Amino acid sequence: MAEDLYQTLGVSRDADKSDLQKSYRKLARKYHPDMNPDDKAAQEKFKRVQEAYEVLGDEDKRAAYDRYGADFEKIRGGYPPGAGGGGGGGGAGPSFDGLDLEQIFGAAGRQGGGDAGGGFENGFNDFFEQILGGGAAPGGGRHRTAAPPQRGSNVRYELAIPFEKAVLGGKAEFYPTGTGKHEKLSVTIPAGVEDGAKIRLREQGQSSPGGTPGDLILIIQIDSHPYFERKGKNLELDLPITVGEAAMGTKADVPTPKGTVTLSIPPRSRSGKRLRLKGLGVQSAKGAPGDLIVELQIQLPDDMSDAAVELLKQFESEQSFEPRSGLKF
């Protein structure tokens, strides 16, 4: 019995696209050949996970799989279960019992116009021409004409990259799904690339017998960062400081895309005060770099001692302060 693709990805049958992506990325990282170089079982599992996501991540393939199960590829090829591919039983050519017009021609073919599905760009005309073998010959007969090689399909692939690589740029290696191949590819990520940006890799999509392969279209998905947040070309950072540093001022080391810099925190700084470091944000190919916005956040230690609390009480008694005096709805 063929392995259930939903079980392979560890998701329920009603899982949405987001759930599929999360589960796929988790399993792909777990069983990735680079992480398990000597584990044949893990590498085989990685291959099955890739194949499962290749089907379930595509809406058309998933719908066919849900309807026909493991035989869905035969359906997509024009041969329902039990129909066979050739003659016999007195009938020539494929049987289309159980298939509706949309499955054979696509929605446009069913409506009689536009691009039709299944590769028949002119709907019924192309379909019957391919089935019957070419255009009409003089005298009412028909002659066969060889169909020109078809270009392979383009493939869209969501490529997750670290936050740092999106800001600084660099090489990214990955194993794409949907291309029918299981080889590692490499792409150069430009500095400052934005979430959702597309990168086209020529002729890295699905192959086509006798024709040119399609393209692989990468859709960039940027992972979040535990401390930094991106706002356009600017980066924002919450910088924790102590009560004493806020009151007396200090110098603090701050990490940036261009290395660590020393930031001067002025005396009597409040929590929420924002300081700007010019030119230390996101650098892109066009225009000047963004800035790094540092927001001060006063923090107290979790294991604050009783003696420290008593000192703060003395401070409160000597320094009258009503921080909520103007607060209203």
Side-chain angles (χ1 to χ4, degrees):
M1 181 178 295
E3 182 177 11
D4 183 81
L5 300 186
Y6 289 96
Q7 292 182 4
T8 300
L9 285 182
V11 297
S12 62
R13 299 189 74 84
D14 59 354
D16 59 20
K17 187 175 181 180
S18 176
D19 292 333
L20 289 171
Q21 291 174 347
K22 290 178 182 177
S23 183
Y24 164 70
R25 290 176 181 175
K26 178 181 177 181
L27 293 175
R29 283 193 295 266
K30 179 179 179 181
Y31 296 110
H32 198 287
D34 289 349
M35 304 296 293
N36 306 274
D38 300 319
D39 190 340
K40 297 296 184 182
Q43 294 174 17
E44 180 62 28
K45 180 67 175 178
F46 176 78
K47 180 179 179 181
R48 294 203 303 271
V49 167
Q50 292 272 85
E51 293 170 346
Y53 185 69
E54 181 176 340
V55 173
L56 300 184
D58 183 291
E59 292 183 3
D60 294 335
K61 291 182 181 181
R62 181 178 181 179
Y65 176 77
D66 289 343
R67 183 171 182 181
Y68 299 107
D71 290 327
F72 83 100
E73 288 288 4
K74 297 179 182 178
I75 304 300
R76 287 169 60 84
Y79 303 97
S95 168
F96 297 95
D97 294 340
L99 293 181
D100 56 34
L101 293 179
E102 185 169 346
Q103 286 177 284
I104 300 174
F105 301 104
R110 180 159 56 96
Q111 296 168 359
D115 289 342
F120 306 118
E121 295 185 355
N122 297 313
F124 288 92
N125 291 337
D126 278 9
F127 171 73
F128 286 114
E129 183 172 335
Q130 292 193 31
I131 292 297
L132 299 176
R142 302 191 66 83
H143 62 81
R144 294 185 177 274
T145 58
Q150 298 294 312
R151 186 176 184 275
S153 299
N154 291 343
V155 175
R156 296 165 66 89
Y157 177 78
E158 294 184 353
L159 177 62
I161 63 174
F163 186 92
E164 300 90 331
K165 193 177 294 293
V167 173
L168 300 173
K171 295 284 187 180
E173 295 183 334
F174 61 100
Y175 287 86
T177 58
T179 63
K181 298 172 286 188
H182 300 285
E183 60 185 23
K184 182 188 293 185
L185 297 180
S186 177
V187 63
T188 299
I189 304 296
V193 68
E194 296 185 1
D195 193 64
K198 297 180 177 63
I199 298 177
R200 181 183 295 268
L201 299 183
R202 301 287 182 183
E203 299 186 5
Q204 293 294 338
Q206 287 188 349
S207 59
S208 175
T212 303
D215 298 337
L216 179 61
I217 301 172
L218 304 179
I219 303 173
I220 301 300
Q221 301 291 327
I222 302 174
D223 294 338
S224 60
H225 194 283
Y227 303 110
F228 287 87
E229 185 176 356
R230 179 173 174 177
K231 297 291 182 64
K233 284 189 176 183
N234 290 342
L235 294 177
E236 296 188 357
L237 169 67
D238 288 344
L239 183 68
I241 60 174
T242 68
V243 174
E245 288 174 332
M248 297 178 291
T250 189
K251 293 185 180 295
D253 288 340
V254 177
T256 79
K258 296 182 179 180
T260 300
V261 301
T262 300
L263 174 66
S264 295
I265 299 174
R268 298 176 177 82
S269 291
R270 296 185 178 186
S271 190
K273 182 180 180 65
R274 292 162 70 88
L275 304 174
R276 183 183 298 268
L277 295 174
K278 297 285 293 183
L280 293 181
V282 179
Q283 175 69 67
S284 64
K286 298 180 180 179
D291 302 331
L292 173 58
I293 311 299
V294 178
E295 183 169 311
L296 305 180
Q297 298 291 334
I298 298 175
Q299 293 188 1
L300 296 175
D302 294 333
D303 55 349
M304 193 170 181
S305 67
D306 293 339
V309 173
E310 287 299 323
L311 289 174
L312 285 178
K313 286 182 180 180
Q314 294 179 29
F315 169 80
E316 289 285 327
S317 64
E318 294 180 8
Q319 182 70 54
S320 177
F321 178 47
E322 294 291 340
R324 297 176 295 280
S325 60
L327 186 63
K328 65 175 66 175
F329 182 72

